[in-house]
Coordinates of all heavy atoms in Angstrom, one line a residue:
G262 N -32.5 -51.4 -35.2 CA -31.3 -52.0 -34.9 C -30.7 -51.4 -33.6 O -29.9 -51.9 -33.0
G263 N -31.1 -50.1 -33.5 CA -30.4 -49.4 -32.3 C -30.7 -50.0 -30.9 O -29.7 -50.1 -30.1
W264 N -31.8 -50.4 -30.7 CA -32.2 -51.0 -29.4 C -31.6 -52.4 -29.2 O -31.0 -52.8 -28.1 CB -33.7 -51.2 -29.2 CG -34.0 -51.9 -27.9 CD1 -34.6 -53.2 -27.7 CD2 -33.7 -51.5 -26.5 NE1 -34.6 -53.5 -26.5 CE2 -34.2 -52.5 -25.7 CE3 -33.2 -50.3 -26.0 CZ2 -34.0 -52.4 -24.3 CZ3 -33.0 -50.2 -24.6 CH2 -33.4 -51.3 -23.8
R265 N -31.4 -53.1 -30.3 CA -30.7 -54.4 -30.3 C -29.2 -54.2 -29.8 O -28.6 -55.0 -29.1 CB -30.7 -55.1 -31.6 CG -31.1 -56.6 -31.6 CD -31.4 -57.1 -32.9 NE -30.4 -58.2 -32.9 CZ -30.3 -58.9 -34.0 NH1 -30.8 -58.7 -35.1 NH2 -29.5 -60.0 -33.9
I266 N -28.6 -53.1 -30.4 CA -27.1 -52.9 -30.1 C -27.0 -52.4 -28.6 O -26.2 -53.0 -27.9 CB -26.7 -51.7 -31.1 CG1 -26.5 -52.3 -32.5 CG2 -25.2 -51.3 -30.5 CD1 -26.3 -51.2 -33.4
V267 N -28.0 -51.6 -28.1 CA -27.9 -51.2 -26.8 C -28.0 -52.5 -25.9 O -27.4 -52.6 -24.8 CB -29.0 -50.1 -26.4 CG1 -29.2 -49.9 -24.9 CG2 -28.6 -48.9 -27.1
Q268 N -29.0 -53.2 -26.2 CA -29.2 -54.5 -25.4 C -28.1 -55.4 -25.4 O -27.7 -55.9 -24.3 CB -30.6 -55.3 -25.9 CG -30.8 -56.4 -25.0 CD -32.1 -57.1 -25.6 OE1 -32.5 -57.0 -26.7 NE2 -32.7 -57.9 -24.7
T269 N -27.5 -55.7 -26.5 CA -26.2 -56.5 -26.6 C -25.1 -55.9 -25.8 O -24.4 -56.6 -25.0 CB -25.8 -56.6 -28.1 OG1 -26.7 -57.3 -28.8 CG2 -24.5 -57.4 -28.1
M270 N -24.9 -54.6 -25.9 CA -23.8 -53.9 -25.1 C -24.0 -53.9 -23.7 O -23.1 -54.1 -22.9 CB -23.6 -52.5 -25.7 CG -23.2 -52.4 -27.0 SD -21.8 -53.3 -27.3 CE -20.6 -52.0 -28.0
G271 N -25.2 -53.6 -23.2 CA -25.5 -53.4 -21.9 C -26.1 -54.7 -21.1 O -26.0 -54.6 -19.7
Q272 N -26.5 -55.6 -21.8 CA -27.0 -56.9 -21.1 C -26.4 -58.2 -21.5 O -26.4 -59.1 -20.7 CB -28.6 -56.9 -21.3 CG -29.2 -55.7 -20.6 CD -30.7 -55.6 -21.0 OE1 -31.2 -56.6 -21.7 NE2 -31.5 -54.7 -20.4
R273 N -26.1 -58.3 -22.8 CA -25.5 -59.6 -23.3 C -24.1 -59.8 -23.0 O -23.6 -60.8 -22.7 CB -25.9 -59.8 -24.7 CG -27.3 -59.9 -24.9 CD -27.7 -60.4 -26.3 NE -27.2 -61.7 -26.5 CZ -26.8 -62.1 -27.8 NH1 -26.9 -61.2 -28.8 NH2 -26.2 -63.2 -28.0
I274 N -23.4 -58.7 -23.2 CA -21.8 -59.0 -23.0 C -21.6 -59.1 -21.4 O -20.9 -60.0 -21.0 CB -21.1 -57.7 -23.5 CG1 -21.1 -57.6 -25.1 CG2 -19.6 -57.8 -23.0 CD1 -20.4 -56.5 -25.5
T275 N -22.2 -58.2 -20.7 CA -22.1 -58.3 -19.2 C -23.2 -57.5 -18.6 O -23.7 -56.5 -19.3 CB -20.8 -57.7 -18.7 OG1 -20.6 -58.0 -17.3 CG2 -20.6 -56.3 -19.0
K276 N -23.8 -57.8 -17.5 CA -24.8 -56.9 -16.9 C -24.2 -55.8 -16.3 O -23.4 -55.7 -15.4 CB -25.5 -57.8 -15.8 CG -26.1 -59.0 -16.2 CD -27.4 -58.7 -16.9 CE -28.1 -60.1 -17.2 NZ -29.3 -59.8 -18.2
L277 N -24.6 -54.6 -16.9 CA -24.1 -53.3 -16.6 C -25.1 -52.7 -15.5 O -26.3 -52.6 -15.7 CB -23.9 -52.4 -17.8 CG -22.7 -52.4 -18.5 CD1 -22.7 -51.4 -19.6 CD2 -21.4 -52.2 -17.6
K278 N -24.5 -52.2 -14.4 CA -25.3 -51.3 -13.5 C -25.0 -49.9 -13.8 O -24.0 -49.6 -14.7 CB -24.7 -51.7 -12.1 CG -25.2 -53.2 -11.7 CD -24.7 -53.5 -10.3 CE -25.1 -54.9 -10.0 NZ -24.4 -55.4 -8.8
P279 N -25.7 -49.0 -13.4 CA -25.4 -47.6 -13.7 C -24.0 -47.1 -13.5 O -23.5 -46.4 -14.3 CB -26.4 -46.8 -12.9 CG -27.6 -47.8 -12.7 CD -26.9 -49.1 -12.6
V280 N -23.4 -47.6 -12.3 CA -22.0 -47.1 -12.0 C -21.1 -47.8 -13.0 O -20.2 -47.0 -13.5 CB -21.6 -47.4 -10.6 CG1 -21.5 -49.0 -10.4 CG2 -20.3 -46.7 -10.2
G281 N -21.3 -48.9 -13.5 CA -20.5 -49.6 -14.5 C -20.6 -48.9 -15.8 O -19.7 -48.7 -16.6
G282 N -21.9 -48.6 -16.1 CA -22.0 -47.8 -17.4 C -21.3 -46.4 -17.4 O -20.8 -46.1 -18.4
F283 N -21.4 -45.7 -16.3 CA -20.7 -44.5 -16.2 C -19.3 -44.7 -16.4 O -18.6 -43.9 -17.1 CB -21.1 -43.8 -14.8 CG -20.2 -42.6 -14.6 CD1 -20.6 -41.4 -15.2 CD2 -19.2 -42.6 -13.7 CE1 -19.9 -40.3 -14.9 CE2 -18.4 -41.5 -13.5 CZ -18.8 -40.3 -14.1
C284 N -18.7 -45.6 -15.6 CA -17.3 -45.9 -15.8 C -16.8 -46.3 -17.2 O -15.9 -45.9 -17.7 CB -16.8 -47.1 -14.9 SG -16.9 -46.5 -13.1
A285 N -17.7 -47.2 -17.9 CA -17.4 -47.5 -19.2 C -17.4 -46.3 -20.2 O -16.5 -46.1 -21.1 CB -18.3 -48.7 -19.7
E286 N -18.4 -45.5 -20.1 CA -18.5 -44.2 -20.9 C -17.4 -43.3 -20.6 O -16.8 -42.7 -21.5 CB -19.9 -43.6 -20.7 CG -21.0 -44.3 -21.2 CD -21.2 -44.4 -22.7 OE1 -20.6 -43.5 -23.3 OE2 -21.7 -45.2 -23.3
T287 N -16.9 -43.2 -19.3 CA -15.9 -42.2 -19.0 C -14.6 -42.7 -19.6 O -13.8 -41.9 -20.2 CB -15.8 -42.0 -17.5 OG1 -17.2 -41.6 -17.0 CG2 -14.7 -41.0 -17.1
G288 N -14.3 -44.0 -19.3 CA -13.1 -44.6 -19.9 C -13.0 -44.6 -21.3 O -12.0 -44.3 -22.0
G289 N -14.1 -44.8 -22.1 CA -14.2 -44.7 -23.5 C -13.9 -43.3 -23.9 O -13.3 -43.1 -25.0
A290 N -14.6 -42.3 -23.3 CA -14.4 -40.9 -23.7 C -13.0 -40.5 -23.5 O -12.4 -39.9 -24.4 CB -15.3 -40.1 -22.9
I291 N -12.3 -40.9 -22.4 CA -11.0 -40.5 -22.2 C -10.1 -41.1 -23.3 O -9.2 -40.5 -23.9 CB -10.6 -40.9 -20.8 CG1 -11.2 -40.0 -19.7 CG2 -9.0 -40.8 -20.6 CD1 -11.0 -40.5 -18.3
T292 N -10.4 -42.4 -23.6 CA -9.6 -43.1 -24.7 C -9.7 -42.4 -26.0 O -8.8 -42.1 -26.7 CB -10.0 -44.5 -24.8 OG1 -9.8 -45.2 -23.6 CG2 -9.3 -45.3 -25.8
L293 N -10.9 -42.0 -26.2 CA -11.2 -41.2 -27.6 C -10.5 -39.9 -27.5 O -10.0 -39.5 -28.7 CB -12.7 -41.1 -27.8 CG -13.4 -42.4 -28.1 CD1 -15.0 -42.2 -28.1 CD2 -12.9 -43.0 -29.5
F294 N -10.6 -39.2 -26.5 CA -9.9 -37.9 -26.5 C -8.3 -38.0 -26.6 O -7.8 -37.2 -27.4 CB -10.2 -37.1 -25.1 CG -11.5 -36.5 -25.2 CD1 -12.4 -36.7 -24.1 CD2 -12.0 -35.6 -26.2 CE1 -13.7 -36.1 -24.1 CE2 -13.1 -35.0 -26.1 CZ -14.0 -35.2 -25.1
L295 N -7.7 -39.1 -26.0 CA -6.3 -39.2 -26.0 C -6.0 -39.6 -27.5 O -5.0 -39.1 -28.0 CB -5.8 -40.2 -25.0 CG -5.9 -39.9 -23.6 CD1 -5.6 -41.0 -22.8 CD2 -5.0 -38.7 -23.4
A296 N -6.7 -40.6 -28.0 CA -6.4 -41.1 -29.4 C -6.5 -39.9 -30.5 O -5.8 -39.8 -31.3 CB -7.4 -42.2 -29.8
T297 N -7.6 -39.1 -30.3 CA -7.8 -37.9 -31.1 C -6.6 -36.8 -30.9 O -6.2 -36.3 -32.0 CB -9.2 -37.2 -30.8 OG1 -10.2 -38.2 -31.0 CG2 -9.4 -36.0 -31.8
A298 N -6.2 -36.6 -29.8 CA -5.1 -35.7 -29.5 C -3.8 -36.2 -30.2 O -3.1 -35.4 -30.7 CB -4.9 -35.6 -28.0
M299 N -3.6 -37.6 -30.2 CA -2.4 -38.1 -30.9 C -2.7 -38.3 -32.3 O -1.6 -38.8 -32.9 CB -2.1 -39.5 -30.0 CG -1.6 -39.1 -28.7 SD -1.0 -40.7 -27.9 CE -2.6 -41.6 -27.5
G300 N -3.8 -38.0 -32.9 CA -4.1 -38.2 -34.3 C -4.3 -39.7 -34.7 O -4.0 -40.0 -35.9
I301 N -4.6 -40.6 -33.8 CA -4.9 -42.0 -34.1 C -6.4 -42.2 -34.4 O -7.2 -41.9 -33.5 CB -4.4 -42.9 -32.8 CG1 -3.0 -42.6 -32.5 CG2 -4.7 -44.3 -33.2 CD1 -2.6 -43.2 -31.2
P302 N -6.6 -42.7 -35.6 CA -8.1 -43.0 -35.9 C -8.5 -44.2 -35.1 O -7.8 -45.2 -35.1 CB -8.0 -43.2 -37.4 CG -6.7 -43.7 -37.7 CD -5.7 -43.1 -36.7
V303 N -9.6 -44.1 -34.4 CA -10.2 -45.2 -33.5 C -11.7 -45.2 -33.9 O -12.3 -44.2 -34.4 CB -10.0 -45.0 -32.1 CG1 -8.4 -45.2 -31.9 CG2 -10.4 -43.8 -31.6
S304 N -12.3 -46.4 -33.6 CA -13.7 -46.5 -33.8 C -14.3 -46.3 -32.4 O -13.9 -46.9 -31.4 CB -14.0 -48.0 -34.3 OG -15.4 -48.2 -34.2
T305 N -15.4 -45.6 -32.4 CA -16.1 -45.3 -31.2 C -16.8 -46.6 -30.6 O -16.8 -46.9 -29.4 CB -17.1 -44.2 -31.3 OG1 -18.0 -44.5 -32.3 CG2 -16.5 -42.9 -31.6
T306 N -17.3 -47.4 -31.6 CA -17.9 -48.6 -31.2 C -17.0 -49.6 -30.7 O -17.3 -50.2 -29.6 CB -18.5 -49.2 -32.5 OG1 -19.5 -48.3 -33.0 CG2 -19.5 -50.5 -32.0
H307 N -15.8 -49.7 -31.2 CA -14.8 -50.6 -30.7 C -14.3 -50.2 -29.3 O -14.2 -50.9 -28.4 CB -13.5 -50.7 -31.6 CG -13.9 -51.3 -32.9 ND1 -13.0 -51.3 -34.0 CD2 -14.8 -52.0 -33.5 CE1 -13.4 -51.9 -35.0 NE2 -14.6 -52.3 -34.7
T308 N -14.2 -48.9 -29.1 CA -13.8 -48.3 -28.0 C -14.7 -48.6 -26.8 O -14.2 -49.1 -25.6 CB -13.5 -46.7 -28.0 OG1 -12.5 -46.5 -29.1 CG2 -12.9 -46.2 -26.7
I309 N -16.0 -48.3 -27.1 CA -16.9 -48.6 -26.0 C -17.2 -50.0 -25.7 O -17.3 -50.4 -24.5 CB -18.3 -47.8 -26.2 CG1 -19.2 -47.7 -24.9 CG2 -19.1 -48.5 -27.3 CD1 -18.6 -47.0 -23.9
T310 N -17.1 -50.8 -26.7 CA -17.2 -52.3 -26.4 C -16.0 -52.7 -25.6 O -16.2 -53.6 -24.6 CB -17.2 -53.0 -27.7 OG1 -18.3 -52.6 -28.6 CG2 -17.3 -54.5 -27.6
G311 N -14.9 -52.3 -25.9 CA -13.7 -52.7 -25.0 C -13.9 -52.2 -23.7 O -13.5 -52.8 -22.6
A312 N -14.4 -50.9 -23.4 CA -14.6 -50.4 -22.1 C -15.6 -51.2 -21.3 O -15.5 -51.5 -20.1 CB -15.2 -48.9 -22.2
I313 N -16.7 -51.6 -22.0 CA -17.8 -52.5 -21.4 C -17.2 -53.9 -21.0 O -17.5 -54.3 -19.8 CB -19.0 -52.6 -22.2 CG1 -19.7 -51.3 -22.3 CG2 -19.8 -53.8 -21.7 CD1 -20.7 -51.2 -23.4
V314 N -16.3 -54.5 -21.8 CA -15.6 -55.7 -21.5 C -14.8 -55.5 -20.4 O -14.7 -56.3 -19.4 CB -15.0 -56.4 -22.7 CG1 -14.1 -57.5 -22.3 CG2 -16.0 -56.7 -23.6
G315 N -14.0 -54.4 -20.3 CA -13.1 -54.2 -19.1 C -13.9 -53.9 -17.8 O -13.5 -54.5 -16.8
V316 N -15.1 -53.2 -17.9 CA -15.9 -53.1 -16.6 C -16.3 -54.5 -16.1 O -16.2 -54.7 -14.9 CB -17.0 -52.2 -16.9 CG1 -18.0 -52.3 -15.8 CG2 -16.6 -50.7 -17.0
G317 N -16.9 -55.3 -17.0 CA -17.3 -56.6 -16.7 C -16.1 -57.5 -16.2 O -16.4 -58.2 -15.2
S318 N -15.0 -57.4 -16.7 CA -14.0 -58.2 -16.3 C -13.2 -57.8 -15.0 O -12.6 -58.7 -14.3 CB -12.8 -58.3 -17.3 OG -12.3 -57.1 -17.6
V319 N -13.5 -56.5 -14.7 CA -12.9 -56.1 -13.3 C -14.0 -56.7 -12.2 O -13.3 -57.0 -11.2 CB -13.0 -54.5 -13.3 CG1 -12.9 -54.0 -11.9 CG2 -11.9 -53.9 -14.1
Q320 N -15.2 -56.8 -12.4 CA -16.0 -57.5 -11.6 C -15.5 -59.0 -11.2 O -15.3 -59.3 -10.1 CB -17.5 -57.5 -12.0 CG -18.0 -56.1 -12.1 CD -19.4 -56.2 -12.8 OE1 -20.0 -57.3 -13.0 NE2 -19.9 -55.0 -13.1
R321 N -15.5 -59.7 -12.2 CA -14.9 -61.0 -12.3 C -14.8 -61.5 -13.7 O -15.7 -61.1 -14.5 CB -15.6 -62.0 -11.4 CG -17.0 -62.3 -11.8 CD -17.7 -63.1 -10.8 NE -19.0 -63.4 -11.3 CZ -20.1 -62.7 -11.3 NH1 -20.0 -61.4 -10.9 NH2 -21.2 -63.1 -11.7
A322 N -13.9 -62.3 -14.0 CA -13.7 -62.7 -15.5 C -15.0 -63.5 -16.0 O -15.3 -63.4 -17.2 CB -12.5 -63.7 -15.7
S323 N -15.7 -64.2 -15.1 CA -16.8 -64.9 -15.6 C -18.1 -64.0 -15.7 O -19.1 -64.5 -16.2 CB -17.2 -66.1 -14.5 OG -17.5 -65.5 -13.2
A324 N -18.0 -62.8 -15.3 CA -19.0 -61.8 -15.6 C -19.2 -61.5 -17.0 O -20.4 -61.0 -17.4 CB -18.8 -60.6 -14.7
V325 N -18.2 -61.7 -17.9 CA -18.2 -61.3 -19.1 C -18.5 -62.7 -20.0 O -18.1 -63.7 -19.8 CB -16.9 -60.8 -19.7 CG1 -16.8 -60.6 -21.2 CG2 -16.5 -59.6 -18.9
R326 N -19.6 -62.5 -20.9 CA -20.0 -63.5 -21.8 C -19.0 -63.5 -23.0 O -19.1 -62.8 -23.9 CB -21.4 -63.4 -22.1 CG -22.3 -63.7 -21.1 CD -23.7 -63.8 -21.6 NE -24.7 -64.0 -20.6 CZ -25.6 -63.1 -20.1 NH1 -25.7 -62.0 -20.9 NH2 -26.4 -63.4 -19.2
W327 N -18.0 -64.2 -22.9 CA -16.7 -64.2 -23.8 C -17.2 -64.7 -25.1 O -16.6 -64.2 -26.2 CB -15.5 -65.0 -23.3 CG -15.0 -64.3 -22.0 CD1 -15.1 -64.7 -20.7 CD2 -14.3 -63.1 -22.0 NE1 -14.5 -63.9 -19.8 CE2 -14.0 -62.9 -20.6 CE3 -13.8 -62.2 -23.0 CZ2 -13.2 -61.8 -20.2 CZ3 -13.1 -61.1 -22.5 CH2 -12.8 -60.9 -21.2
G328 N -18.2 -65.5 -25.3 CA -18.7 -65.9 -26.6 C -19.3 -64.8 -27.3 O -19.1 -64.7 -28.5
V329 N -20.1 -64.0 -26.6 CA -20.8 -62.9 -27.2 C -19.6 -61.8 -27.7 O -19.6 -61.4 -28.8 CB -21.7 -62.1 -26.4 CG1 -22.3 -60.8 -26.9 CG2 -22.9 -63.1 -26.0
A330 N -18.7 -61.6 -26.8 CA -17.6 -60.7 -27.1 C -16.8 -61.1 -28.3 O -16.4 -60.5 -29.2 CB -16.6 -60.5 -25.9
G331 N -16.5 -62.5 -28.4 CA -15.8 -63.1 -29.4 C -16.5 -63.0 -30.8 O -15.9 -62.6 -31.8
N332 N -17.9 -63.1 -30.8 CA -18.6 -62.9 -31.9 C -18.6 -61.6 -32.5 O -18.5 -61.3 -33.7 CB -20.2 -63.3 -31.7 CG -20.3 -64.8 -31.6 OD1 -19.5 -65.7 -31.9 ND2 -21.5 -65.2 -30.9
I333 N -18.6 -60.6 -31.5 CA -18.4 -59.1 -31.9 C -17.1 -58.9 -32.7 O -16.9 -58.3 -33.7 CB -18.6 -58.2 -30.8 CG1 -20.1 -58.3 -30.3 CG2 -18.2 -56.8 -31.1 CD1 -20.4 -57.5 -29.0
V334 N -16.0 -59.4 -32.1 CA -14.7 -59.3 -32.6 C -14.6 -60.0 -34.0 O -14.1 -59.3 -35.0 CB -13.7 -59.9 -31.7 CG1 -12.2 -60.0 -32.4 CG2 -13.5 -59.1 -30.4
W335 N -15.2 -61.2 -34.1 CA -15.2 -61.8 -35.5 C -15.9 -61.1 -36.4 O -15.6 -60.9 -37.7 CB -15.7 -63.2 -35.4 CG -14.7 -64.2 -35.0 CD1 -14.7 -64.9 -33.8 CD2 -13.5 -64.5 -35.6 NE1 -13.7 -65.8 -33.7 CE2 -12.9 -65.5 -34.8 CE3 -13.1 -64.2 -36.8 CZ2 -11.7 -66.2 -35.2 CZ3 -11.8 -65.0 -37.2 CH2 -11.2 -65.9 -36.4
A336 N -17.0 -60.4 -36.1 CA -17.8 -59.5 -37.1 C -16.9 -58.3 -37.4 O -17.0 -58.0 -38.6 CB -19.2 -59.1 -36.4
W337 N -16.2 -57.8 -36.5 CA -15.3 -56.5 -36.9 C -14.3 -57.1 -37.9 O -13.9 -56.4 -38.8 CB -14.6 -56.1 -35.7 CG -15.4 -55.4 -34.7 CD1 -16.6 -54.7 -35.1 CD2 -15.2 -55.1 -33.3 NE1 -17.1 -54.2 -33.9 CE2 -16.3 -54.4 -32.8 CE3 -14.1 -55.5 -32.5 CZ2 -16.3 -53.9 -31.5 CZ3 -14.2 -55.0 -31.2 CH2 -15.2 -54.3 -30.7
I338 N -13.7 -58.3 -37.7 CA -12.6 -58.8 -38.6 C -13.2 -59.1 -40.0 O -12.6 -58.8 -41.0 CB -12.0 -60.2 -38.0 CG1 -11.2 -59.7 -36.7 CG2 -11.1 -60.8 -39.1 CD1 -10.8 -61.0 -35.9
F339 N -14.3 -59.7 -40.0 CA -15.0 -60.0 -41.4 C -15.5 -58.7 -42.1 O -15.8 -58.7 -43.3 CB -16.0 -61.0 -41.2 CG -15.5 -62.3 -40.9 CD1 -16.1 -63.0 -39.9 CD2 -14.5 -62.9 -41.7 CE1 -15.5 -64.3 -39.6 CE2 -14.0 -64.2 -41.4 CZ -14.5 -64.8 -40.2
T340 N -15.8 -57.6 -41.3 CA -16.4 -56.4 -41.9 C -15.5 -55.8 -42.9 O -15.9 -55.3 -44.1 CB -16.8 -55.5 -40.8 OG1 -17.7 -56.0 -40.0 CG2 -17.4 -54.2 -41.6
I341 N -14.1 -55.7 -42.6 CA -13.2 -55.0 -43.5 C -13.1 -55.7 -44.9 O -13.2 -55.1 -46.0 CB -11.9 -54.8 -42.8 CG1 -12.0 -53.8 -41.6 CG2 -10.8 -54.3 -43.8 CD1 -10.9 -53.6 -40.8
P342 N -12.8 -57.0 -44.8 CA -12.7 -57.7 -46.2 C -14.1 -57.7 -47.0 O -14.1 -57.5 -48.3 CB -12.3 -59.2 -46.0 CG -12.0 -59.3 -44.4 CD -12.4 -57.9 -43.9
A343 N -15.2 -57.8 -46.4 CA -16.5 -57.8 -46.9 C -16.8 -56.5 -47.6 O -17.2 -56.4 -48.7 CB -17.6 -58.2 -46.0
A344 N -16.4 -55.4 -46.8 CA -16.6 -54.1 -47.4 C -15.7 -53.9 -48.6 O -16.1 -53.2 -49.5 CB -16.3 -53.0 -46.3
A345 N -14.5 -54.4 -48.5 CA -13.6 -54.3 -49.8 C -14.1 -55.0 -50.9 O -14.1 -54.5 -52.0 CB -12.2 -54.8 -49.3
A346 N -14.6 -56.1 -50.7 CA -15.1 -56.9 -51.8 C -16.4 -56.3 -52.3 O -16.5 -56.2 -53.7 CB -15.6 -58.3 -51.3
M347 N -17.3 -55.7 -51.6 CA -18.4 -55.0 -52.1 C -18.0 -53.7 -53.0 O -18.6 -53.4 -54.0 CB -19.4 -54.7 -51.0 CG -20.1 -55.8 -50.4 SD -21.0 -56.8 -51.6 CE -22.1 -55.5 -52.2
A348 N -16.9 -53.0 -52.4 CA -16.5 -52.0 -53.0 C -15.8 -52.2 -54.5 O -16.1 -51.6 -55.4 CB -15.5 -51.1 -52.2
A349 N -15.1 -53.4 -54.5 CA -14.6 -53.9 -55.8 C -15.7 -54.2 -56.8 O -15.5 -54.0 -57.9 CB -13.6 -55.1 -55.5
V350 N -16.7 -54.9 -56.3 CA -17.9 -55.3 -57.1 C -18.5 -54.1 -57.7 O -18.8 -53.9 -58.9 CB -18.8 -56.2 -56.4 CG1 -20.2 -56.3 -57.2 CG2 -18.3 -57.6 -56.1
C351 N -18.8 -53.1 -56.9 CA -19.4 -51.8 -57.4 C -18.5 -51.0 -58.4 O -19.0 -50.5 -59.3 CB -19.7 -50.9 -56.1 SG -21.0 -51.5 -55.1
Y352 N -17.2 -51.0 -58.1 CA -16.2 -50.5 -59.0 C -16.3 -51.1 -60.3 O -16.3 -50.5 -61.3 CB -14.8 -50.4 -58.3 CG -13.8 -49.6 -59.2 CD1 -13.9 -48.2 -59.1 CD2 -12.8 -50.2 -59.9 CE1 -12.8 -47.6 -59.8 CE2 -11.9 -49.6 -60.6 CZ -11.9 -48.3 -60.5 OH -11.1 -47.4 -61.3
W353 N -16.2 -52.4 -60.4 CA -16.3 -53.2 -61.5 C -17.6 -53.0 -62.2 O -17.6 -52.8 -63.5 CB -16.1 -54.7 -61.2 CG -16.3 -55.6 -62.3 CD1 -15.3 -55.8 -63.3 CD2 -17.3 -56.4 -62.6 NE1 -15.8 -56.8 -64.2 CE2 -17.1 -57.1 -63.8 CE3 -18.6 -56.6 -62.0 CZ2 -17.9 -58.0 -64.3 CZ3 -19.5 -57.6 -62.6 CH2 -19.2 -58.2 -63.8
A354 N -18.8 -52.9 -61.6 CA -20.0 -52.7 -62.1 C -20.1 -51.3 -62.7 O -20.8 -51.1 -63.8 CB -21.1 -52.9 -61.1
S355 N -19.4 -50.4 -62.2 CA -19.4 -49.0 -62.8 C -18.7 -48.9 -64.2 O -19.2 -48.1 -65.1 CB -18.8 -48.0 -61.9 OG -17.4 -48.2 -61.8
F356 N -17.7 -49.8 -64.4 CA -17.1 -49.8 -65.8 C -18.1 -50.6 -66.7 O -18.2 -50.1 -67.9 CB -15.9 -50.6 -65.7 CG -14.8 -49.7 -65.1 CD1 -14.2 -49.9 -64.0 CD2 -14.3 -48.7 -65.9 CE1 -13.1 -49.1 -63.5 CE2 -13.3 -47.8 -65.4 CZ -12.7 -48.2 -64.2
I357 N -18.9 -51.5 -66.4 CA -19.8 -52.2 -67.2 C -21.0 -51.3 -67.6 O -21.4 -51.2 -68.7 CB -20.2 -53.6 -66.6 CG1 -19.1 -54.6 -66.5 CG2 -21.5 -54.2 -67.3 CD1 -19.4 -55.7 -65.8
L358 N -21.4 -50.6 -66.6 CA -22.7 -49.8 -66.8 C -22.4 -48.5 -67.6 O -23.3 -47.9 -68.3 CB -23.4 -49.5 -65.5 CG -23.8 -50.6 -64.7 CD1 -24.4 -50.2 -63.3 CD2 -25.0 -51.3 -65.6
Y359 N -21.2 -48.1 -67.5 CA -20.8 -46.7 -68.2 C -19.9 -47.1 -69.3 O -19.0 -47.1 -69.6 CB -20.3 -45.6 -67.1 CG -21.4 -45.3 -66.3 CD1 -21.5 -45.6 -64.9 CD2 -22.4 -44.4 -66.8 CE1 -22.5 -45.2 -64.2 CE2 -23.5 -43.9 -65.9 CZ -23.5 -44.4 -64.5 OH -24.5 -43.9 -63.8

């Protein structure tokens, strides 16, 4: 799965060149350091994805494949309730099994 994620981030959202990758990583790192210093919990994956979209949109808005970026955002939105539902099922099953 790792290579698929790298390919999606670096080629499917927008075509990253080395300088764009450097800027995205630097911007993401600064964001993470600032959030950590302020005690704000953030996701590294969300941060770098936002930085990559930012690099692509600075080139031009049409450089970003907004459909791919939208699919990623929807996956993030559905992950939280799905994880909550699975945790509830496991919790319920633990009472039945013990």
Side-chain angles (χ1 to χ4, degrees):
W264 175 246
R265 230 176 123 187
I266 293 168
V267 169
Q268 185 178 18
T269 298
M270 298 301 244
Q272 296 176 357
R273 289 192 60 216
I274 294 176
T275 187
K276 295 288 184 187
L277 277 182
K278 295 178 181 169
V280 68
F283 174 78
C284 292
E286 290 288 338
T287 303
I291 291 170
T292 302
L293 290 170
F294 281 129
L295 291 174
T297 301
M299 292 187 282
I301 302 169
V303 293
S304 166
T305 56
T306 306
H307 294 168
T308 304
I309 194 62
T310 302
I313 290 170
V314 169
V316 167
S318 63
V319 165
Q320 295 171 9
R321 61 186 188 285
S323 63
V325 177
R326 292 190 182 113
W327 294 105
V329 174
N332 288 341
I333 292 171
V334 171
W335 278 112
W337 291 337
I338 291 169
F339 290 129
T340 300
I341 294 172
M347 289 304 298
V350 167
C351 291
Y352 186 75
W353 175 76
S355 72
F356 281 112
I357 291 175
L358 296 174
Y359 292 106

